[in-house]
Amino acid sequence: MKAKEVLNQMKPYKPGKQIEDVKKEYGLNRIIKLASNENPFGFSDKVKQALPNLSTNLELYPDGYATELRERLAEIHSIDKDQLIFGCGSDEVVDIICRTYLEPGNNTIIAEPTFPQYKHNALIQGALVKEIPLQNGYHNLQAMLEAIDSDTKVVWLCTPNNPTGCLINDVSLHYFMKNCPENVLVVVDEAYYEYVTTSDAPESINLIKQYPNLIVLRTFSKAYGLAGLRIGYGVASESVANLLNITRGPFNTTRVAQQAALIALEDTEFLQNSVDTTNKNKQQFFSYLDDLGLKYYDSEANFVFVKLPTTGDALFEHLLKKGFIVRSGEALGHPKGVRITIGEQEDMNELRDLLAAYLSSLSKEEQI
Ligand SMILES: *Cc1c(COP(=O)(O)O)cnc(C)c1O
């Protein structure tokens, strides 16, 4: 059997190390996972309390239209309910976009490095992927505009960008949309939207009225802490959402996930607390990095990409033995760095001490 040619050059997604594996491998009983930008504060107690009641009638298919969640989000975002597309995580919405618009002969534009799923899914559809290097962690929007040609179907803007955390501000996004041809779909992936604090952040969803070629992705996996349930969504113009809904599998989100998301939306206290605490811990960690003389990108998300005098793999291996899982930049296209999710304060303090000890132990030869 011969599969698509392109798969010969691709590999299955390699997730961050799993807690149980590391415990076994290193004989540790406590592991702090700061590798996948998960929420260290868990998820809403209101969801926890409701869960036993949500797991009834599992013999029935879920509501494929996700009616209740759809209606609530339409209200929250002041949009029409047919502007929404739900996915098994926003990951699936990325795949649905690729399946809807990309094929051999056309192309798509992404930043480099950025969230890897855009490229991965685009390649599977046979499209050409144009990668435009970031500038000091930020999207080079001008170069991305210049890369657009008559075969370009989709441009991906990840903001805050994973793995750098850099945000595309209001003025820049307006500029991009104004100068982007209207037959090119612009995907603004806002997986970390809830963590953003800067006052010049765009309200991207409001721009869809003006730019029907814009789709904004959001997820319940990060600030809402529901990564395990797999639910995310996109907001687009009705015509784009309609096309995506044709491509979408009929029952792609579970009833448990839909209901949990609905409850999570109402628990604004949990959301605010976890966002505020994360941002406080992030500012403090920034000051630790400053003290250690380490450079990092300007992050508006719940993680920070730290530049290192050694390889990300070396630090990753070292921290693993101490019970900390971070994400080496190697897999993220930036070998001399690590991406660290902002965790609880004590853990970040312990990490600072480990970093300090590690840096001072580095001999000159090891520094590259
Ligand atoms: C984590 C992440 C997602 C995926 O979120 P899911 O909803 O869990 O699939 C999407 N985009 C970016 C940039 C992310 O970092």
Side-chain angles (χ1 to χ4, degrees):
M1 276 187 299
K2 208 161 169 303
K4 290 183 178 183
E5 193 68 39
V6 68
L7 295 177
N8 292 330
Q9 294 115 50
M10 297 173 72
K11 287 198 265 321
Y13 178 75
K14 189 162 166 273
K17 284 253 182 195
Q18 296 297 305
I19 292 176
E20 290 311 314
D21 297 346
V22 178
K23 275 188 186 168
K24 272 204 208 102
E25 211 175 318
Y26 294 88
L28 297 161
N29 44 31
R30 177 173 150 274
I31 298 292
I32 308 301
K33 184 167 181 248
L34 303 175
S36 304
N37 306 335
E38 290 146 338
N39 193 334
F41 307 106
F43 60 96
S44 159
D45 276 338
K46 297 201 166 72
V47 172
K48 218 167 285 173
Q49 282 152 19
L51 276 175
N53 306 323
L54 300 183
S55 52
T56 54
N57 293 120
L58 293 184
E59 72 282 10
L60 300 176
Y61 280 105
D63 169 9
Y65 191 66
T67 310
E68 275 186 90
L69 180 59
R70 181 180 292 275
E71 284 172 352
R72 184 66 189 118
L73 282 169
E75 194 172 60
I76 288 171
H77 294 309
S78 309
I79 52 170
D80 189 276
K81 56 186 173 32
D82 287 325
Q83 289 184 259
L84 284 153
I85 161 95
F86 291 95
C88 179
S90 52
D91 266 359
E92 195 198 13
V93 184
V94 169
D95 182 35
I96 292 171
I97 292 168
C98 291
R99 286 195 282 139
T100 304
Y101 291 94
L102 300 179
E103 61 191 340
N106 64 29
N107 70 63
T108 186
I109 298 171
I110 65 172
E112 191 333 281
T114 191
F115 187 57
Q117 291 307 300
Y118 315 139
K119 180 176 178 180
H120 185 89
N121 288 297
L123 288 177
I124 292 172
Q125 296 313 318
L128 178 78
V129 179
K130 299 195 198 185
E131 295 175 85
I132 310 298
L134 298 174
Q135 272 179 322
N136 198 24
Y138 288 87
H139 284 70
N140 184 342
L141 293 176
Q142 193 57 45
M144 291 180 92
L145 283 171
E146 283 162 16
I148 294 172
D149 62 32
S150 57
D151 294 325
T152 303
K153 297 292 170 190
V154 183
V155 179
W156 305 84
L157 304 179
C158 182
T159 174
N161 187 46
N162 184 356
T164 57
C166 299
L167 181 95
I168 298 172
N169 70 22
D170 196 25
V171 171
S172 302
L173 184 64
H174 270 95
Y175 176 84
F176 189 90
M177 292 312 301
K178 208 159 78 198
N179 290 285
C180 179
E182 53 196 38
N183 59 352
V184 173
L185 183 70
V186 179
V187 184
V188 171
D189 183 350
E190 298 188 328
Y192 302 94
Y193 172 84
E194 294 81 5
Y195 291 104
V196 173
T197 54
T198 178
S199 58
D200 61 356
E203 279 307 331
S204 312
I205 290 176
N206 296 343
L207 289 180
I208 297 168
K209 271 196 214 75
Q210 196 180 345
Y211 300 106
N213 57 325
L214 173 64
I215 177 167
V216 179
L217 308 188
R218 298 277 181 91
T219 180
F220 288 94
S221 297
K222 304 286 159 58
Y224 289 97
L226 295 174
L229 277 181
R230 313 303 304 126
I231 187 157
Y233 61 97
V235 185
S237 60
E238 273 180 52
S239 63
V240 169
N242 181 49
L243 287 168
L244 298 176
N245 274 309
I246 295 172
T247 306
R248 177 180 66 80
F251 304 110
N252 64 329
T253 60
T254 66
R255 183 164 40 245
V256 179
Q258 292 169 19
Q259 290 297 321
L262 197 55
I263 297 164
L265 283 172
E266 303 316 309
D267 194 349
T268 48
E269 198 183 322
F270 169 81
L271 184 74
Q272 205 54 51
N273 278 336
S274 71
V275 165
D276 290 348
T277 314
T278 298
N279 282 331
K280 194 173 104 236
N281 295 353
K282 179 172 70 177
Q283 289 309 324
Q284 190 172 52
F285 193 64
F286 283 172
S287 72
Y288 296 163
L289 294 172
D290 293 338
D291 293 345
L292 292 168
L294 289 172
K295 298 261 184 291
Y296 50 91
Y297 290 116
D298 188 14
S299 172
E300 284 285 328
N302 66 337
F303 57 84
V304 56
F305 194 95
V306 184
K307 302 177 204 179
L308 298 171
T310 177
T311 65
D313 278 5
L315 179 63
F316 165 80
E317 289 294 340
H318 175 81
L319 292 176
L320 206 51
K321 293 182 203 129
K322 309 282 182 190
F324 279 79
I325 314 179
V326 298
R327 196 84 160 117
S328 167
E330 206 88 47
L332 309 169
H334 202 312
K336 283 178 71 180
V338 283
R339 191 192 64 199
I340 299 173
T341 305
I342 303 300
E344 294 188 73
Q345 194 179 358
E346 322 69 284
D347 297 335
M348 300 316 281
N349 291 349
E350 200 180 325
L351 185 62
R352 170 200 51 190
D353 297 343
L354 290 169
L355 280 173
Y358 179 72
L359 289 171
S360 60
S361 76
L362 276 185
S363 66
K364 280 272 175 297
E365 303 85 79
E366 281 172 301
Q367 299 201 7
I368 55 170

